[in-house]
Amino acid sequence: MLYTQGLKVGFYEKTCPNAEAIVKKTIDQTIAVAPSLAAPLLRMHFHDCFVRGCEGSILLNSSTNQAEKNAPPNLSLRGFQIIDKAKSAVEKACPGVVSCADIVALTARDVTVAMKGPFWKVETGRRDGNVSILNEALQNLLSPFANITTLKQGFLSRGLSGKDLVVLSGGHTIGTSHCPSFTNRLYNFTGKGDTDPSLDRNYIAKLKSKCKPGDQTTLAEMDPGSYKTFDEGYYTLVAKRRGLFQSDSALLADSETKAYVKLQATTHGSTFFNDFGVSMVKMGRIGVLTGTAGEIRRVCTKIN
């Protein structure tokens, strides 16, 4: 077995042999009836890992609404009840063995597969943290308005590369976004009632018809036409200057990330599926608690 900081593929082989199958069953049943939960459940792992590491802090509730999940960037996360459902099914089989952090990591893989995306082997053995602070989410999560310098720095500071950034951005092939995450690009880009010059003009017109100024609630597809299928379509759009977020368009402002976008766009995503699994494994190692650190939560929303 390959050990990385105490993580390994098949960590629960002896202690809870059916753990992964139980999680997968819960996810498959969920996505069959609610495919729109796939993207937020994938994003949940990302948002967990970028704040304190992949240790389940995103799941904790706070009686005073001061936990990570209460931070504005996390208010659009959905699917917490699915993590709880998977956890209770696993608890039935093996009480007190499988961490919530691992269930989040397994879920990210399983929703990707359910949306016809790649399969990868998930390293397990994470333990759950017992701290969750709203402000840390505000400080550590990368904004959809971020430029390439900020994005790369955010990844590099966590041991991830520019390639990991452009590969994991491909997760935007599924899901939707609320208008306020991008309407500044349509109506008031520099404060002069102007549009973002890095956005395709025809696409701007299309988005304006969807999102009127001040619209807080309408959802736009991240990858129009195939937002319910995990594919390389995202790169085709970004290459055509149709990335929805500034952080998507920013990938064209750096030679390394731009070359990757062009490669996937022109080769039908020749390496994307494989690359995505590799980068997800790397992301899943950020700041993990292993061994005797942390705990195995009984219920994912609260510490034992």
Side-chain angles (χ1 to χ4, degrees):
M1 286 296 176
L2 175 69
Y3 273 89
T4 317
Q5 300 165 290
L7 298 185
K8 66 171 183 170
V9 172
F11 182 85
Y12 299 110
E13 223 161 38
K14 295 199 167 54
T15 52
C16 192
N18 293 326
E20 297 199 19
I22 295 168
V23 172
K24 184 184 191 309
K25 186 180 177 189
T26 305
I27 298 309
D28 287 347
Q29 287 171 344
T30 299
I31 301 305
V33 295
S36 70
L37 281 176
L41 284 167
L42 173 59
R43 182 170 166 232
M44 192 181 290
H45 183 38
F46 171 46
H47 282 215
D48 184 26
C49 292
F50 267 60
V51 186
R52 286 191 168 259
C54 318
E55 37 66 273
S57 52
I58 188 75
L59 306 171
L60 289 172
N61 287 346
S62 152
S63 54
T64 54
N65 293 331
Q66 290 299 306
E68 287 174 31
K69 61 164 63 161
N70 304 114
N74 284 329
L75 292 177
S76 57
L77 281 181
R78 299 184 300 125
F80 290 107
Q81 77 282 10
I82 307 306
I83 301 295
D84 294 338
K85 196 174 170 185
K87 172 66 168 169
S88 53
V90 171
E91 283 297 298
K92 241 184 214 134
C94 329
V97 174
V98 180
S99 69
C100 296
D102 277 344
I103 289 175
V104 171
L106 290 165
T107 295
R109 189 263 316 271
D110 293 341
V111 295
T112 301
V113 172
M115 302 302 274
K116 303 188 171 61
F119 172 90
W120 63 91
K121 288 179 176 169
V122 175
E123 294 176 344
T124 44
R126 295 169 192 79
R127 289 169 65 87
D128 297 319
N130 42 26
V131 178
S132 184
I133 300 169
L134 185 154
N135 256 350
E136 291 188 353
L138 276 181
Q139 288 157 8
N140 288 292
L141 291 171
L142 296 169
S143 155
F145 309 111
N147 64 25
I148 191 66
T149 311
T150 305
L151 293 168
K152 285 189 97 164
Q153 188 46 48
F155 272 64
L156 289 172
S157 67
R158 292 168 175 86
L160 300 177
S161 65
K163 181 177 181 180
D164 294 317
L165 164 65
V166 65
V167 168
L168 293 173
S169 295
H172 288 169
T173 171
I174 54 171
T176 54
S177 163
H178 292 88
C179 295
S181 295
F182 57 86
T183 39
N184 67 307
R185 308 182 73 192
L186 310 180
Y187 297 111
N188 202 18
F189 190 60
T190 64
K192 300 185 183 133
D194 52 345
T195 58
D196 182 344
S198 72
L199 202 52
D200 174 82
R201 296 226 322 251
N202 299 322
Y203 194 40
I204 288 177
K206 203 171 255 173
L207 291 172
K208 277 184 167 177
S209 68
K210 223 178 170 36
C211 296
K212 296 287 175 261
D215 181 339
Q216 298 287 316
T217 49
T218 302
L219 290 168
E221 300 164 10
M222 298 288 300
D223 179 356
S226 80
Y227 75 106
K228 287 184 178 169
T229 311
F230 197 101
D231 59 22
E232 77 288 347
Y234 168 81
Y235 297 106
T236 313
L237 288 169
V238 172
K240 289 200 277 204
R241 298 172 56 232
R242 291 182 169 217
L244 192 58
F245 294 159
Q246 276 165 259
S247 59
D248 295 319
S249 299
L251 298 174
L252 295 177
D254 169 88
S255 57
E256 180 191 14
T257 54
K258 180 181 182 174
Y260 188 88
V261 168
K262 300 277 192 201
L263 172 71
Q264 302 311 321
T266 52
T267 63
H268 290 292
S270 56
T271 67
F272 174 48
F273 273 28
N274 189 60
D275 292 340
F276 192 77
V278 170
S279 289
M280 284 294 285
V281 169
K282 276 181 74 177
M283 186 182 81
R285 294 171 179 163
I286 299 174
V288 293
L289 302 173
T290 55
T292 54
E295 64 180 17
I296 303 296
R297 268 180 232 152
R298 300 283 173 163
V299 177
C300 289
T301 51
K302 52 179 195 263
I303 56 180
N304 291 346

